[in-house]
Amino acid sequence: MAKFSRTDNCKNCVDCNKKIPLFQLLSQSELTDLNTSRFEVKFKAGETIFKQGTSATHLLIITSGLAKFYVEGVQERQLIIRIVKPWEVVGQASLYFDNRHHYSVAALVDCTACFIEIESFKKMIRQNSAFAEEFITQCTQKGVFSYEKMVSLSQKQMHGRIADGILYLSKKIYESNQFSLHLSRQDIADLTGMSKDSAIRILKEFHHEGIIELDGRNLNVLNSEQLERISETG
Amino acid sequence: MAKFSRTDNCKNCVDCNKKIPLFQLLSQSELTDLNTSRFEVKFKAGETIFKQGTSATHLLIITSGLAKFYVEGVQERQLIIRIVKPWEVVGQASLYFDNRHHYSVAALVDCTACFIEIESFKKMIRQNSAFAEEFITQCTQKGVFSYEKMVSLSQKQMHGRIADGILYLSKKIYESNQFSLHLSRQDIADLTGMSKDSAIRILKEFHHEGIIELDGRNLNVLNSEQLERISETG
DNA sequence: GTTATTTGCTGATAAATGTCGATTTGAATT
DNA sequence: AATTCAAATCGACATTTATCAGCAAATAAC
């Protein structure tokens, strides 16, 4: 894991907090409180931000860049649970469980990461019930997302899973039909639970059928309705 | 869904609360408060307790019996997320999300179910921060459990998944090596993400190899170390 | 600029898994 | 005991998916 090193980039915290709905529920003094325990680190593409199994002392907010949130499965394989965008709070699972990271997070591109000390965060949960409620909301949303992902992984065939993966990236992450993909083919395979070769094959198929246009890492979703259909039929 | 009907079986609420760690954090007056919005319903084996898609108005605690917690996936298939034992609080995901059930719960055997009105429960979260923290702990534990389940479903082959299923039932649910199974073969298939025929095949194999003894619905885990090994190698 | 090294791609093959039909078992009912 | 029905079982087969070997293209290292 990259060493934490204090930087002075985190000067615009008030502005930063405006972007995180959860933090809007905090008072000025609570914000100040949280800020004192906060620091920023830059990561290069490929670097590990959280490593599964290490002890969890901080929560993470990516303020720029993109990262993958994954668990290390059997035989060195990775399962990408989700992609982490800026302003998303990462590390809930470690807060009250056993202070271990049960997943890894790695930068897909150069990232700026903000670390928040867990105890300060817990203090907010205790003293601000609106904050606690919003936090619970986010946990439960992730729970429902997990159920859908389990269905996709276990009941859909490769075409359906790739369709799910593309729709997820296009709708939830890049919020556009056309984008420059930051995931390798192996990453897409790890996101959809299949081998790299199979992922490549299905992507090519979708390309040839005119559902997507994929040239290197430039992805253009041409027919999202059909992707939805493929996703539903499995 | 079976209609809710008030019964007067819920007379021993103080005793009942002793069994639920979460509720031990409540004061006497808070307990009384919660109890007024509480009622009990009996379900016969096979009956649906929560139906995916319906509106969520209550949380559920099974006080006797056993139920399956599942999502309705593609083509009428079910994916059993977990088995619900007595004294487990069910329905967190609906609390703050969109007041819909994103999963179904059905009785595996005759069950007694206690329903708690959601708004009363939310009130406890707001006014009792220890209660909120314990509740968050449970949510995050379920999150970590989900990650492990995703790895099992997407990266392990059938032998590993069946091993995981048996170990889950034996360690977490029945807490014994020998028990009378309340799940059908189809349920085991839905728990491990495979077809019923495949589940039967692997179970027979484990039986012939002397890893388990399975006669009808009587299951005896003879060699749990080997099951662990099979689980790890996928 | 040239050489490594990774990443992407493809076809052939093998392994894993699902599907189907037929049969048996067991429980519930008459 | 006879009947009915659902669950469990099994073998044969079809389909899905992974693996492997080899190659091309892009990228990084020298």
Side-chain angles (χ1 to χ4, degrees), chain B residues 157-158 161 193-195 197-198 201:
Chain B
Q157 306 193 164
M158 294 195 300
R161 301 209 298 277
M194 67 186 71
S195 71
D197 294 12
S198 292
R201 201 160 310 168

Side-chain angles (χ1 to χ4, degrees), chain A residues 157-158 194 197-198 201:
Chain A
Q157 306 193 164
M158 294 196 297
M194 66 186 72
D197 295 12
S198 292
R201 215 173 308 249

Side-chain angles (χ1 to χ4, degrees), chain A residues 79-90:
Chain A
L79 175 66
I80 297 182
I81 308 281
R82 60 173 188 272
I83 304 299
V84 180
K85 284 208 295 188
W87 318 117
E88 187 192 329
V89 181
V90 178

Side-chain angles (χ1 to χ4, degrees), chain B residues 49-68:
Chain B
I49 301 175
F50 280 167
K51 170 70 180 176
Q52 185 169 333
T54 63
S55 76
T57 57
H58 293 75
L59 291 174
L60 163 73
I61 296 169
I62 303 281
T63 56
S64 80
L66 211 63
K68 59 179 175 180

Side-chain angles (χ1 to χ4, degrees), chain A residues 79-163:
Chain A
L79 175 66
I80 297 182
I81 308 281
R82 60 173 188 272
I83 304 299
V84 180
K85 284 208 295 188
W87 318 117
E88 187 192 329
V89 181
V90 178
Q92 282 95 332
S94 319
L95 262 193
Y96 289 100
F97 190 40
D98 60 358
N99 279 48
R100 295 271 156 204
H101 289 301
H102 292 268
Y103 41 78
S104 294
V105 178
L108 289 169
V109 292
D110 292 359
C111 280
T112 313
C114 212
F115 289 91
I116 298 171
E117 208 255 310
I118 278 185
E119 280 310 318
S120 328
F121 194 88
K122 280 191 182 177
K123 194 174 151 201
M124 299 304 141
I125 287 176
R126 271 180 230 118
Q127 70 189 31
N128 186 329
S129 69
F131 186 82
E133 282 193 287
E134 173 61 21
F135 182 75
I136 293 174
T137 304
Q138 293 186 6
C139 287
T140 53
Q141 277 171 354
K142 287 187 175 124
V144 171
F145 173 82
S146 290
Y147 300 156
E148 288 167 6
K149 178 123 188 160
M150 280 191 229
V151 168
S152 176
L153 288 173
S154 69
Q155 300 193 338
K156 294 185 186 178
Q157 306 193 164
M158 294 196 297
H159 292 80
R161 301 209 297 278
I162 289 284

